Amino acid sequence: SPGFLGTDVSLVKELSASIYLLGFEHGYSILRNDSVIFHQVLSAPGRTSTRPISGATDGNGKHYIAAQDMGVGEVHPDYSVTWFDSNNAQIVCVNYLKDTLWAMDRFGTLYYLKEHKLVSKAFVDAYPRSISKEQNGSLLIGTRNGLKSIVGSKVFHLPIPLDFSLKEVYCTFIYNGQLLVGTEGGLATIRNGIIERSVAPGLRMERPVYAAVLSPDGIWLGTDNGIYLLLDSVARHFDEQDGLLGWEVNRGAFIKDRSDRLVIGTSKGVSFHDPLHPETSELQFRPAIKSIRQGYNMLPLSQAINLSTRESQLTIGMQVLSFSSNPIELRYRMVGYQDTWQSHSISPQREVT
Protein backbone atom coordinates (compact mmCIF):
# COMPACT_ATOMS: atom_id res chain seq x y z
CA SER A 1 0.00 0.00 0.00
CA PRO A 2 1.43 3.43 -0.90
CA GLY A 3 -0.26 4.88 2.22
CA PHE A 4 2.86 4.38 4.30
CA LEU A 5 5.60 4.06 1.66
CA GLY A 6 7.22 7.29 0.54
CA THR A 7 5.14 9.24 3.08
CA ASP A 8 6.35 11.46 5.93
CA VAL A 9 5.22 9.58 9.06
CA SER A 10 5.09 12.06 11.94
CA LEU A 11 3.57 9.82 14.63
CA VAL A 12 3.58 6.14 15.54
CA LYS A 13 1.23 5.17 18.39
CA GLU A 14 0.67 1.54 19.39
CA LEU A 15 -3.02 0.98 20.13
CA SER A 16 -2.97 -2.78 20.73
CA ALA A 17 -0.99 -5.83 19.65
CA SER A 18 0.12 -5.34 16.01
CA ILE A 19 -2.21 -2.32 15.57
CA TYR A 20 -0.67 1.13 15.18
CA LEU A 21 -1.87 4.66 14.51
CA LEU A 22 0.34 6.42 11.94
CA GLY A 23 0.19 10.21 11.62
CA PHE A 24 0.55 11.93 8.24
CA GLU A 25 0.32 15.50 6.94
CA HIS A 26 -3.48 15.83 7.11
CA GLY A 27 -4.70 12.79 8.98
CA TYR A 28 -3.88 9.32 10.22
CA SER A 29 -4.10 5.67 9.22
CA ILE A 30 -4.50 2.51 11.29
CA LEU A 31 -1.99 -0.18 10.39
CA ARG A 32 -2.68 -3.78 11.36
CA ASN A 33 0.30 -6.01 10.60
CA ASP A 34 1.11 -4.83 7.06
CA SER A 35 -2.34 -3.62 5.98
CA VAL A 36 -4.06 -0.24 6.38
CA ILE A 37 -7.52 -0.96 7.81
CA PHE A 38 -8.70 2.61 8.48
CA HIS A 39 -7.85 6.11 7.28
CA GLN A 40 -9.09 9.47 8.50
CA VAL A 41 -8.49 12.90 6.99
CA LEU A 42 -8.38 15.65 9.62
CA SER A 43 -9.91 18.95 8.58
CA ALA A 44 -11.96 21.77 10.04
CA PRO A 45 -12.73 25.36 9.00
CA GLY A 46 -9.77 27.65 9.65
CA ARG A 47 -7.49 24.79 10.70
CA THR A 48 -4.65 24.24 8.25
CA SER A 49 -2.04 22.38 10.34
CA THR A 50 -3.65 19.06 11.28
CA ARG A 51 -0.74 16.64 11.31
CA PRO A 52 -0.72 14.29 14.35
CA ILE A 53 2.74 14.65 15.90
CA SER A 54 2.50 13.37 19.47
CA GLY A 55 0.66 10.66 21.40
CA ALA A 56 0.11 9.35 24.92
CA THR A 57 -1.66 6.56 26.84
CA ASP A 58 -3.18 7.02 30.30
CA GLY A 59 -3.31 4.61 33.22
CA ASN A 60 -6.61 3.14 32.01
CA GLY A 61 -5.30 2.31 28.54
CA LYS A 62 -7.00 5.25 26.79
CA HIS A 63 -5.03 6.68 23.88
CA TYR A 64 -4.62 10.36 22.98
CA ILE A 65 -3.07 12.23 20.07
CA ALA A 66 -2.05 15.84 19.53
CA ALA A 67 -2.66 17.17 16.02
CA GLN A 68 -1.68 20.86 16.11
CA ASP A 69 -4.73 22.97 15.10
CA MET A 70 -7.05 20.09 15.98
CA GLY A 71 -5.78 20.14 19.58
CA VAL A 72 -5.83 16.95 21.69
CA GLY A 73 -8.25 14.08 21.15
CA GLU A 74 -9.08 10.65 22.51
CA VAL A 75 -8.79 7.69 20.12
CA HIS A 76 -11.78 5.34 20.43
CA PRO A 77 -11.90 1.56 19.78
CA ASP A 78 -13.47 2.23 16.35
CA TYR A 79 -10.41 4.46 15.58
CA SER A 80 -12.41 7.69 15.52
CA VAL A 81 -11.19 10.64 17.61
CA THR A 82 -13.10 12.97 19.92
CA TRP A 83 -11.34 16.34 20.19
CA PHE A 84 -11.29 18.18 23.51
CA ASP A 85 -11.92 21.89 24.02
CA SER A 86 -8.51 23.54 23.63
CA ASN A 87 -9.59 27.13 23.02
CA ASN A 88 -8.04 26.99 19.51
CA ALA A 89 -4.55 26.31 20.90
CA GLN A 90 -2.17 24.62 18.46
CA ILE A 91 -1.01 21.59 20.47
CA VAL A 92 2.41 20.21 19.51
CA CYS A 93 3.17 17.66 22.26
CA VAL A 94 1.31 15.57 24.80
CA ASN A 95 2.25 13.07 27.53
CA TYR A 96 0.63 11.25 30.44
CA LEU A 97 2.63 11.78 33.65
CA LYS A 98 1.84 11.86 37.35
CA ASP A 99 -1.75 10.61 36.73
CA THR A 100 -2.40 13.61 34.47
CA LEU A 101 -2.57 14.21 30.74
CA TRP A 102 -0.31 17.15 29.90
CA ALA A 103 -0.18 19.11 26.65
CA MET A 104 1.71 22.10 25.29
CA ASP A 105 0.94 24.55 22.51
CA ARG A 106 3.45 25.97 20.07
CA PHE A 107 3.91 29.18 22.09
CA GLY A 108 4.93 27.33 25.27
CA THR A 109 1.76 27.16 27.36
CA LEU A 110 1.43 24.03 29.47
CA TYR A 111 -2.08 22.56 29.89
CA TYR A 112 -3.61 19.66 31.79
CA LEU A 113 -6.80 17.80 30.90
CA LYS A 114 -9.77 18.30 33.22
CA GLU A 115 -13.32 17.24 32.37
CA HIS A 116 -12.58 17.04 28.62
CA LYS A 117 -11.07 20.51 28.56
CA LEU A 118 -7.48 21.76 28.49
CA VAL A 119 -6.70 24.06 31.43
CA SER A 120 -3.57 26.24 31.37
CA LYS A 121 -0.98 25.60 34.09
CA ALA A 122 2.26 27.42 33.23
CA PHE A 123 4.12 29.23 30.45
CA VAL A 124 7.71 28.51 29.34
CA ASP A 125 7.99 31.15 26.56
CA ALA A 126 9.61 28.81 24.01
CA TYR A 127 8.51 26.36 21.31
CA PRO A 128 8.24 22.99 23.09
CA ARG A 129 9.55 19.72 21.71
CA SER A 130 8.81 17.23 24.50
CA ILE A 131 7.28 16.72 27.95
CA SER A 132 8.91 14.29 30.37
CA LYS A 133 9.42 13.83 34.10
CA GLU A 134 12.48 14.25 36.31
CA GLN A 135 13.36 11.73 38.99
CA ASN A 136 12.16 14.21 41.63
CA GLY A 137 8.73 14.36 39.96
CA SER A 138 8.99 17.79 38.34
CA LEU A 139 8.13 18.21 34.66
CA LEU A 140 10.89 18.65 32.09
CA ILE A 141 10.11 20.59 28.92
CA GLY A 142 12.48 20.32 25.97
CA THR A 143 12.30 23.43 23.79
CA ARG A 144 14.02 25.22 20.94
CA ASN A 145 15.67 27.40 23.56
CA GLY A 146 16.95 24.96 26.13
CA LEU A 147 15.49 22.81 28.87
CA LYS A 148 12.83 24.03 31.32
CA SER A 149 11.75 22.54 34.65
CA ILE A 150 8.26 23.08 36.06
CA VAL A 151 7.46 22.58 39.75
CA GLY A 152 3.82 23.34 40.47
CA SER A 153 3.19 26.42 38.36
CA LYS A 154 6.73 27.78 38.70
CA VAL A 155 9.06 27.59 35.70
CA PHE A 156 12.82 27.23 36.12
CA HIS A 157 15.07 27.84 33.12
CA LEU A 158 18.28 25.86 32.94
CA PRO A 159 21.19 28.03 31.75
CA ILE A 160 21.69 28.07 27.99
CA PRO A 161 24.60 25.71 27.25
CA LEU A 162 27.92 27.22 26.20
CA ASP A 163 27.82 24.89 23.21
CA PHE A 164 24.93 26.45 21.25
CA SER A 165 24.42 23.27 19.22
CA LEU A 166 22.98 21.72 22.44
CA LYS A 167 20.42 24.50 22.91
CA GLU A 168 17.57 22.84 20.97
CA VAL A 169 16.26 19.92 23.07
CA TYR A 170 14.19 17.18 21.40
CA CYS A 171 13.91 14.53 24.10
CA THR A 172 15.06 13.46 27.56
CA PHE A 173 15.34 10.01 29.10
CA ILE A 174 16.89 8.25 32.09
CA TYR A 175 19.52 5.57 31.52
CA ASN A 176 21.25 3.78 34.39
CA GLY A 177 20.02 6.45 36.77
CA GLN A 178 21.41 9.29 34.64
CA LEU A 179 19.35 11.93 32.84
CA LEU A 180 20.34 12.13 29.17
CA VAL A 181 19.23 14.79 26.70
CA GLY A 182 18.78 14.47 22.94
CA THR A 183 19.67 17.77 21.25
CA GLU A 184 20.39 19.27 17.85
CA GLY A 185 24.10 18.82 18.57
CA GLY A 186 23.88 15.24 19.81
CA LEU A 187 23.56 13.38 23.08
CA ALA A 188 24.08 15.48 26.22
CA THR A 189 23.87 15.24 29.99
CA ILE A 190 23.34 17.73 32.82
CA ARG A 191 26.21 18.66 35.12
CA ASN A 192 25.81 21.26 37.83
CA GLY A 193 22.56 22.40 36.25
CA ILE A 194 24.10 22.98 32.79
CA ILE A 195 23.62 20.93 29.62
CA GLU A 196 26.96 19.51 28.47
CA ARG A 197 27.92 17.11 25.74
CA SER A 198 28.01 13.48 26.86
CA VAL A 199 31.56 12.13 26.79
CA ALA A 200 31.00 8.88 28.69
CA PRO A 201 32.08 5.70 26.86
CA GLY A 202 29.17 4.30 24.89
CA LEU A 203 27.09 7.45 25.32
CA ARG A 204 28.60 9.68 22.64
CA MET A 205 26.60 10.86 19.65
CA GLU A 206 27.19 14.09 17.74
CA ARG A 207 24.29 13.92 15.30
CA PRO A 208 20.87 15.44 16.08
CA VAL A 209 19.04 13.05 18.44
CA TYR A 210 15.28 13.36 17.85
CA ALA A 211 14.12 10.34 19.85
CA ALA A 212 15.51 7.58 22.06
CA VAL A 213 14.27 4.06 22.79
CA LEU A 214 15.63 1.89 25.60
CA SER A 215 15.68 -1.85 24.98
CA PRO A 216 17.42 -4.88 26.49
CA ASP A 217 20.19 -4.63 23.89
CA GLY A 218 21.09 -0.95 24.47
CA ILE A 219 19.98 2.57 23.55
CA TRP A 220 18.47 3.18 20.12
CA LEU A 221 18.70 6.77 18.86
CA GLY A 222 16.61 8.25 16.05
CA THR A 223 18.61 10.85 14.13
CA ASP A 224 18.77 12.71 10.82
CA ASN A 225 20.96 9.87 9.54
CA GLY A 226 18.94 6.76 10.34
CA ILE A 227 19.08 5.00 13.71
CA TYR A 228 22.01 4.09 15.94
CA LEU A 229 22.36 1.39 18.57
CA LEU A 230 24.69 2.39 21.42
CA LEU A 231 25.99 -0.77 23.03
CA ASP A 232 29.26 -1.54 24.85
CA SER A 233 30.98 1.70 23.73
CA VAL A 234 30.12 0.96 20.08
CA ALA A 235 27.58 2.79 17.88
CA ARG A 236 26.03 0.52 15.27
CA HIS A 237 24.35 2.36 12.40
CA PHE A 238 21.27 1.43 10.31
CA ASP A 239 19.99 3.42 7.34
CA GLU A 240 18.39 2.94 3.92
CA GLN A 241 21.17 0.56 2.90
CA ASP A 242 19.84 -1.81 5.58
CA GLY A 243 16.26 -1.46 4.36
CA LEU A 244 15.19 1.40 6.63
CA LEU A 245 12.58 3.54 4.89
CA GLY A 246 14.17 6.98 4.96
CA TRP A 247 17.10 8.61 6.75
CA GLU A 248 15.45 11.16 9.03
CA VAL A 249 13.55 9.74 12.01
CA ASN A 250 10.64 11.86 13.33
CA ARG A 251 10.68 12.48 17.09
CA GLY A 252 7.08 11.31 17.65
CA ALA A 253 7.43 8.26 15.43
CA PHE A 254 10.06 6.04 17.06
CA ILE A 255 8.76 3.54 19.62
CA LYS A 256 9.30 0.10 21.13
CA ASP A 257 6.06 -1.86 21.05
CA ARG A 258 4.78 -4.40 23.58
CA SER A 259 6.62 -7.18 21.71
CA ASP A 260 9.91 -5.23 22.01
CA ARG A 261 9.90 -4.57 18.27
CA LEU A 262 11.10 -1.19 17.08
CA VAL A 263 8.66 0.80 14.93
CA ILE A 264 10.43 3.62 13.10
CA GLY A 265 8.59 6.42 11.31
CA THR A 266 10.70 8.53 8.97
CA SER A 267 10.27 11.15 6.28
CA LYS A 268 9.78 8.32 3.76
CA GLY A 269 7.62 5.77 5.56
CA VAL A 270 7.59 3.31 8.45
CA SER A 271 9.78 0.28 9.20
CA PHE A 272 9.73 -2.54 11.74
CA HIS A 273 12.71 -4.25 13.33
CA ASP A 274 13.06 -6.89 16.03
CA PRO A 275 16.50 -6.20 17.54
CA LEU A 276 16.53 -9.41 19.58
CA HIS A 277 15.11 -11.76 16.94
CA PRO A 278 15.99 -10.27 13.52
CA GLU A 279 15.22 -13.49 11.67
CA THR A 280 11.76 -14.12 13.19
CA SER A 281 9.49 -15.31 10.37
CA GLU A 282 6.56 -13.21 11.55
CA LEU A 283 8.56 -10.08 10.77
CA GLN A 284 8.71 -10.90 7.06
CA PHE A 285 5.97 -8.57 5.87
CA ARG A 286 4.60 -8.83 2.35
CA PRO A 287 6.54 -6.68 -0.12
CA ALA A 288 4.83 -3.53 -1.33
CA ILE A 289 5.33 -1.49 -4.48
CA LYS A 290 7.39 1.58 -3.62
CA SER A 291 7.79 3.12 -7.08
CA ILE A 292 7.03 2.56 -10.77
CA ARG A 293 9.18 4.29 -13.37
CA GLN A 294 9.01 4.40 -17.16
CA GLY A 295 12.31 5.73 -18.38
CA TYR A 296 12.94 8.83 -16.29
CA ASN A 297 9.27 9.43 -15.50
CA MET A 298 7.81 8.37 -12.15
CA LEU A 299 4.30 6.95 -12.57
CA PRO A 300 1.46 7.23 -10.00
CA LEU A 301 0.94 4.09 -7.95
CA SER A 302 -2.82 4.46 -7.70
CA GLN A 303 -3.71 4.72 -11.39
CA ALA A 304 -3.82 2.29 -14.32
CA ILE A 305 -0.70 2.43 -16.49
CA ASN A 306 -0.96 2.40 -20.28
CA LEU A 307 2.16 1.93 -22.39
CA SER A 308 2.53 2.72 -26.08
CA THR A 309 3.96 0.18 -28.52
CA ARG A 310 7.35 1.93 -28.26
CA GLU A 311 7.47 1.62 -24.48
CA SER A 312 8.55 -1.84 -23.44
CA GLN A 313 10.14 -1.39 -20.03
CA LEU A 314 8.91 -0.55 -16.55
CA THR A 315 11.12 -0.32 -13.50
CA ILE A 316 9.31 -1.42 -10.34
CA GLY A 317 10.79 -0.72 -6.92
CA MET A 318 9.76 -3.01 -4.07
CA GLN A 319 10.17 -2.60 -0.31
CA VAL A 320 9.31 -4.61 2.79
CA LEU A 321 8.37 -3.09 6.14
CA SER A 322 10.97 -5.04 8.11
CA PHE A 323 14.72 -4.80 7.95
CA SER A 324 17.67 -6.63 9.49
CA SER A 325 21.42 -6.80 9.15
CA ASN A 326 21.02 -9.67 6.68
CA PRO A 327 19.57 -9.33 3.16
CA ILE A 328 15.88 -10.11 2.69
CA GLU A 329 15.00 -12.14 -0.39
CA LEU A 330 12.43 -10.60 -2.71
CA ARG A 331 10.71 -12.71 -5.38
CA TYR A 332 8.55 -11.48 -8.25
CA ARG A 333 6.59 -12.95 -11.16
CA MET A 334 4.83 -11.29 -14.10
CA VAL A 335 1.43 -12.97 -14.33
CA GLY A 336 0.81 -14.23 -17.87
CA TYR A 337 4.49 -13.91 -18.85
CA GLN A 338 6.43 -15.94 -16.28
CA ASP A 339 5.59 -19.32 -14.79
CA THR A 340 8.27 -19.27 -12.08
CA TRP A 341 9.28 -16.77 -9.40
CA GLN A 342 12.34 -14.61 -10.07
CA SER A 343 14.51 -14.04 -7.00
CA HIS A 344 16.59 -11.09 -5.84
CA SER A 345 18.46 -11.09 -2.56
CA ILE A 346 21.02 -8.30 -2.87
CA SER A 347 19.28 -5.94 -0.45
CA PRO A 348 15.88 -5.45 1.25
CA GLN A 349 15.05 -2.89 -1.45
CA ARG A 350 15.27 -3.93 -5.07
CA GLU A 351 14.27 -2.56 -8.46
CA VAL A 352 13.22 -4.99 -11.16
CA THR A 353 12.67 -4.38 -14.87
Side-chain angles (χ1 to χ4, degrees):
S1 167
F4 45 85
L5 293 174
T7 304
D8 191 355
V9 179
S10 53
L11 175 65
V12 174
K13 186 76 185 74
E14 184 184 19
L15 302 181
S16 59
S18 299
I19 297 181
Y20 309 88
L21 183 149
L22 307 181
F24 303 110
E25 184 176 3
H26 291 297
Y28 62 90
S29 291
I30 303 299
L31 180 69
R32 182 171 63 196
N33 295 320
D34 58 0
S35 300
V36 172
I37 61 173
F38 182 88
H39 180 72
Q40 180 64 56
V41 175
L42 297 179
S43 63
R47 301 183 181 185
T48 57
S49 299
T50 59
R51 177 192 292 273
I53 57 176
S54 183
T57 302
D58 69 14
N60 297 317
K62 294 181 179 180
H63 304 291
Y64 306 89
I65 61 173
Q68 303 182 87
D69 285 346
M70 300 299 295
V72 176
E74 179 184 343
V75 183
H76 299 295
D78 64 355
Y79 311 126
S80 64
V81 175
T82 297
W83 301 99
F84 303 131
D85 181 6
S86 61
N87 198 26
N88 295 322
Q90 189 180 75
I91 304 299
V92 295
C93 56
V94 64
N95 206 348
Y96 186 80
L97 303 164
K98 300 166 60 176
D99 299 322
T100 303
L101 185 73
W102 302 93
M104 295 203 71
D105 68 20
R106 65 189 300 269
F107 298 108
T109 300
L110 175 70
Y111 302 88
Y112 64 93
L113 182 65
K114 182 179 180 181
E115 298 177 353
H116 297 86
K117 183 177 181 179
L118 294 184
V119 180
S120 61
K121 176 75 172 180
F123 180 64
V124 302
D125 194 25
Y127 189 102
R129 296 292 196 182
S130 63
I131 309 172
S132 59
K133 184 175 66 173
E134 285 190 90
Q135 290 171 306
N136 63 8
S138 62
L139 294 179
L140 274 178
I141 312 299
T143 77
R144 285 181 177 173
N145 195 33
L147 194 60
K148 320 294 182 182
S149 177
I150 299 179
V151 180
S153 59
K154 294 183 178 180
V155 179
F156 299 90
H157 304 265
L158 274 70
I160 299 298
L162 298 177
D163 184 344
F164 268 34
S165 70
L166 307 178
K167 184 177 71 170
E168 186 157 5
V169 175
Y170 295 111
C171 65
T172 63
F173 60 99
I174 295 174
Y175 180 69
N176 287 342
Q178 181 182 15
L179 178 65
L180 296 176
V181 184
T183 75
E184 179 68 24
L187 200 58
T189 187
I190 298 178
R191 295 186 182 90
N192 300 320
I194 299 177
I195 298 178
E196 296 181 358
R197 190 174 300 279
S198 175
V199 296
L203 295 177
R204 303 188 64 174
M205 174 58 57
E206 297 186 358
R207 303 203 69 91
V209 176
Y210 301 135
V213 170
L214 304 183
S215 72
D217 56 339
I219 305 175
W220 292 85
L221 302 178
T223 76
D224 65 339
N225 187 39
I227 60 177
Y228 290 81
L229 170 62
L230 302 186
L231 177 65
D232 298 330
S233 303
V234 176
R236 188 178 180 187
H237 182 222
F238 295 88
D239 57 24
E240 288 188 350
Q241 301 303 316
D242 303 285
L244 185 67
L245 275 172
W247 294 77
E248 185 162 349
V249 178
N250 289 317
R251 67 180 186 275
F254 188 20
I255 68 169
K256 180 181 69 172
D257 70 12
R258 64 192 65 195
S259 300
D260 285 335
R261 298 189 304 184
L262 301 180
V263 189
I264 311 109
T266 74
S267 56
K268 293 184 179 180
V270 64
S271 300
F272 289 76
H273 179 57
D274 188 334
L276 300 181
H277 308 93
E279 305 309 321
T280 303
S281 60
E282 64 183 277
L283 278 176
Q284 307 306 320
F285 293 89
R286 293 192 303 269
I289 301 299
K290 183 180 181 182
S291 63
I292 301 177
R293 178 166 52 84
Q294 198 283 311
Y296 294 100
N297 298 321
M298 299 301 296
L299 304 179
L301 299 179
S302 58
Q303 299 179 14
I305 298 172
N306 296 313
L307 299 179
S308 69
T309 55
R310 296 181 179 181
E311 299 170 333
S312 60
Q313 286 188 324
L314 283 177
T315 300
I316 302 174
M318 297 187 295
Q319 178 74 56
V320 290
L321 289 182
S322 58
F323 76 91
S324 72
S325 57
N326 297 321
I328 295 175
E329 183 182 42
L330 296 176
R331 298 188 301 162
Y332 72 95
R333 179 168 64 94
M334 297 180 65
V335 178
Y337 293 90
Q338 297 168 321
D339 296 327
T340 59
W341 291 96
Q342 311 298 310
S343 297
H344 283 286
S345 58
I346 298 177
S347 71
Q349 178 178 321
R350 180 67 179 173
E351 289 193 342
V352 296
T353 302

